[in-house]
Amino acid sequence: MFPSTYRTTALVNGEVTVAALPFPHEALGAGTVVIRPDLMGICRADAKEVVGSRDIPTDRGPLFGHEFLGPVAFAGADTGFREGELVTFNPNVTPNRTTGFAEYVFVHGTAAELDQAVIRVPEPDPAWMPEPFACIVHANAKLLELTGLDSLAGKRVGIIGAGCSGLMFALHARHLGASIVVFNRGESRRDFAQQREILTAQEIHPLADAESFRDTFDVVIVVPTIITPDVLHTAATIAAPHGTLHLYGGTRSTDRFPDSTLDIDTIRRQELIKPLTHQAKPLAVSGAYGCARSDYEEAFRLHTTHPEAFPLERLISHYITLDDFPQLITDIATSTRDFPGKVVIST
Ligand SMILES: NC(=O)c1ccc[n+]([C@@H]2O[C@H](COP(=O)([O-])OP(=O)(O)OC[C@H]3O[C@@H](n4cnc5c(N)ncnc54)[C@H](OP(=O)(O)O)[C@@H]3O)[C@@H](O)[C@H]2O)c1
């Protein structure tokens, strides 16, 4: 039923390789689900792990190869899954799994763990990546919870970063009733967002122009690859007094808000909200991290019931093969090449 070998990738000391390994028949235990990915997404976090610029949480392990979807190829007797079910993966539950950049992915756990980590896909043939969208759904729900807001209706939301995450924040905040403006440093992602009709010309601006939006936004979502002091200063500048800066990506353990002792990495990873006074302006700083099974369910519901509001398929900019992957991720990680939107590996 299974081949004698299967192809998988390895990341060792910053080098990415793809090779055929013996199929581990001994791994097919009662608590194992094996998934055969049809689609695998490349995330900025994968590139960060290649160059070692990401702090890896021990409770869930490396992210390298965490966005994928495909059928269950094997379901152990105790897993609660069936062969052939279309599933995707939540990397925030267990480190006990192999990389998703492979022809087969092995996830091990108790029935309760697998119930959270392996998510049934209710759509027949999705051409979009559920995990990053579930993280956005989670992050906006967390924003509302932390700020005590009932909704984003009528709120002005600024977003720094038009990467995949920034664009999905824009779609979701707009759907929740906010008016949105996205700021991106480079031209390529600004053009991509307009060409794919994800944002209008009024909704996307150069980051260099952000200061003309001084004191404007009720919420500023900060979502670039790395959160630099300059980015934080810009975010604080464009926030309205008593506004909230919501941090999503790009913090490291030693990061502090400029001119303060505010530990922004802990705020993000522990999903806290803290007051901050920046240049005499009262603000709050909040953060969000990861997602749960319920966020996937909401993500699928939104995509199914509001396909025009969530054209997530249009975020995919390139399809590649597993053989193309080692060179491409190395080029992305070393900034030799850069792609707007989402690059996916298709089998
Ligand atoms: N909280 C979570 O659970 C979670 C989940 C997924 C991702 N993330 C994090 O979210 C961040 C964005 O991810 P993504 O998928 O959107 O990445 P992406 O598609 O690769 O986009 C990266 C974005 O960062 C911008 N950027 C990079 N360096 C910058 C700098 N020095 N100053 C200003 N902008 C800069 C890029 O702008 P240019 O076009 O100008 O290069 C681009 O808009 C990453 O840090 C990622 O790790 C967090």
Side-chain angles (χ1 to χ4, degrees), residues 11-344:
L11 167 58
V12 180
N13 296 330
E15 190 186 350
V16 182
T17 52
V18 58
L21 295 186
F23 191 92
H25 293 274
E26 70 285 358
L28 304 180
T32 297
V33 174
V34 182
I35 302 163
R36 186 170 53 73
D38 293 327
L39 280 185
M40 305 155 232
I42 299 175
C43 173
R44 182 55 61 179
D46 299 313
K48 288 183 185 178
E49 289 186 359
V50 172
V51 288
S53 67
R54 179 171 182 273
D55 301 325
I56 295 176
T58 50
D59 62 344
R60 54 200 89 177
L63 279 176
F64 191 71
H66 66 282
E67 292 182 12
F68 55 90
L69 57 84
V72 172
F74 170 83
D78 298 343
T79 63
F81 286 87
R82 282 182 291 108
E83 284 174 28
E85 287 184 293
L86 186 59
V87 295
T88 188
F89 181 65
N90 182 357
N92 300 290
V93 179
T94 172
N96 201 0
R97 57 104 179 175
T98 57
T99 179
F101 294 132
E103 289 177 331
Y104 292 94
V105 185
F106 299 77
V107 188
H108 310 282
T110 62
E113 286 167 336
L114 293 169
D115 182 57
Q116 296 300 311
V118 182
I119 313 284
R120 290 180 181 84
V121 173
E123 298 181 14
D125 194 15
W128 56 284
M129 277 295 139
E131 190 270 347
F133 186 43
C135 287
I136 302 303
V137 167
H138 174 84
N140 275 335
K142 185 57 70 176
L143 170 71
L144 294 179
E145 177 192 320
L146 291 171
T147 54
L149 291 171
D150 289 339
S151 94
L152 288 180
K155 299 294 177 193
R156 293 158 300 177
V157 173
I159 298 167
I160 298 183
C164 295
S165 302
L167 295 181
M168 287 186 286
F169 266 118
L171 294 174
H172 193 227
R174 190 166 60 192
H175 180 72
L176 296 176
S179 61
I180 47 127
V181 180
V182 181
F183 300 95
N184 197 69
R185 179 185 61 176
E187 192 175 7
S188 143
R189 285 187 174 80
R190 298 199 301 269
D191 290 348
F192 179 80
Q194 287 186 71
Q195 284 160 5
R196 295 288 172 111
E197 298 184 352
I198 294 163
L199 300 177
T200 65
Q202 290 72 39
E203 289 173 328
I204 179 118
H205 296 266
L207 182 58
D209 295 350
E211 299 225 355
S212 62
F213 289 78
R214 181 175 286 270
D215 297 339
T216 298
F217 298 103
D218 302 299
V219 174
V220 180
I221 296 170
V222 189
V223 57
T225 304
I226 47 167
I227 293 189
T228 62
D230 280 353
V231 165
L232 289 169
H233 175 74
T234 302
T237 301
I238 64 178
H242 303 286
T244 300
L245 312 185
H246 194 47
L247 309 182
Y248 185 69
T251 59
R252 300 210 64 182
S253 60
T254 54
D255 288 352
R256 300 291 177 272
F257 205 95
D259 305 322
S260 84
T261 56
L262 203 63
D263 176 350
I264 54 175
D265 191 59
T266 298
I267 287 175
R268 184 169 83 84
R269 291 187 191 269
Q270 295 186 11
E271 305 193 309
L272 307 174
I273 187 163
K274 299 280 183 191
L276 170 78
T277 302
H278 184 77
Q279 299 183 349
K281 190 194 291 185
L283 296 167
V285 181
S286 62
Y289 187 63
C291 58
R293 179 198 176 88
S294 56
D295 301 307
Y296 285 79
E297 288 163 358
E298 174 64 359
F300 285 120
R301 187 193 71 76
L302 287 169
H303 183 253
T304 303
T305 52
H306 304 283
E308 69 301 330
F310 296 102
L312 300 167
E313 299 81 356
R314 280 190 244 145
L315 286 173
I316 295 182
S317 55
H318 297 276
Y319 285 89
I320 65 165
T321 66
L322 199 55
D323 288 329
D324 297 331
F325 172 70
Q327 187 62 51
L328 182 126
I329 188 71
T330 304
D331 289 350
I332 293 174
T334 55
S335 303
T336 309
R337 282 196 285 172
D338 184 30
F339 299 90
K342 170 88 36 204
V343 180
V344 296

